[in-house]
Amino acid sequence: MAKLTTVELKLLAREPGSIFTILIPLFILIVFGSSISPGDTVLLPMTLAIAVGLVGLYQVPTTLATYRERGILRRLSTTPVRPGSLLGVQLILQFMLALTACGLLLAVASTVLGAHVPSQVVPLAAAFLLGTAAMFAIGLLIAAVAANGRTANGVGVMLYFPMAYLAGLMQPAEMMPLILARIGEFTPLGAFRESLQDVWAGASPGLLPLGVMAAYAVVVSLAAAKFFRWE
């Protein structure tokens, strides 16, 4: 397992998608962050949600579907390292990638831009974990049903942009038509963004966004487990 983790970590570090997952939200934060006030409670939660969404809808499904397409999971089934071990290692590393991207955003926002960073660790951790679990569950479902890595990539991108719009990541939810903003509250990215903004505003995340994220995490994970194929 240690050797597998080391190898997978090296492969992930060399993957261009991993670098873009970190750089794209950081670029958005720096470009727009220079013109906001230190007490802004919108931009940083938005960029955090963007980072987790990119990992969940792009990195996770593309990587796992590509491994199945190339027969890596099938070949591992004949070794002491079972395919499930690779799946577990990949999920841990992808989670660490999301954590790294968000940690960098928080560091740059607080030190370079002087942005407000909440001190409530528990509500922030709860929102982050549930949001990440929901997005990873969707990524796993895409990987489960996609024929190959290219298809998984395409489906992930196709889902990401409309979901990001409805979530208020491309345009503040306050500026969207009311019906679309309402629909966005019931998407995993929208619930994630809303719960983060609650934390940034000094409040606890609302029960509705937490419930929405938990529901996606559980229901979609079960669907992914049902349809997932090792080869």
Side-chain angles (χ1 to χ4, degrees):
M1 286 297 295
K3 182 65 174 178
L4 178 64
T5 302
T6 301
V7 171
E8 289 300 312
L9 180 59
K10 290 179 179 177
L11 291 174
L12 183 63
R14 289 185 224 157
E15 171 61 40
S18 302
I19 300 174
F20 285 115
T21 297
I22 294 175
L23 293 183
I24 290 175
L26 185 61
F27 174 78
I28 295 173
L29 176 68
I30 292 175
V31 169
F32 293 99
S34 58
S35 61
I36 64 172
S37 64
D40 180 79
T41 61
V42 176
L43 181 60
L44 192 48
M46 286 174 58
T47 54
L48 293 174
I50 289 172
V52 173
L54 287 174
V55 176
L57 292 182
Y58 173 73
Q59 282 290 119
V60 171
T62 302
T63 301
L64 295 180
T66 299
Y67 278 15
R68 185 179 63 241
E69 176 188 4
R70 294 177 178 175
I72 294 174
L73 299 181
R74 174 176 51 80
R75 289 195 292 271
L76 276 179
S77 65
T78 64
T79 73
V81 181
R82 310 303 294 176
S85 301
L86 177 61
L87 178 61
V89 168
Q90 267 297 321
L91 288 178
I92 292 173
L93 292 180
Q94 298 292 355
F95 176 77
M96 294 304 297
L97 175 62
L99 197 61
T100 299
C102 291
L104 183 59
L105 289 170
L106 290 172
V108 172
S110 60
T111 58
V112 178
L113 302 177
H116 163 65
V117 176
S119 58
Q120 310 97 301
V121 176
V122 174
L124 178 58
F128 179 80
L129 290 174
L130 280 176
T132 303
M135 298 312 302
F136 276 31
I138 297 174
L140 286 172
L141 181 59
I142 296 172
V145 299
N148 50 56
R150 292 184 300 278
T151 302
N153 187 356
V155 172
V157 171
M158 185 173 64
L159 283 178
Y160 178 79
F161 285 103
M163 193 182 296
Y165 174 75
L166 290 172
L169 302 184
M170 297 181 176
Q171 180 180 358
E174 297 77 14
M175 300 174 61
M176 294 170 57
L178 183 59
I179 182 63
L180 293 181
R182 187 61 178 167
I183 292 173
E185 293 176 0
F186 292 90
T187 65
L189 266 181
F192 187 31
R193 188 267 309 159
E194 185 178 351
S195 63
L196 288 177
Q197 283 190 206
D198 288 341
V199 175
W200 252 256
S204 298
L207 292 179
L208 177 60
L210 292 179
V212 168
M213 291 187 292
Y216 274 100
V218 173
V219 174
V220 181
S221 291
L222 291 175
K226 178 177 177 60
F227 293 110
F228 196 86
R229 297 163 289 121
W230 295 116
E231 58 179 313

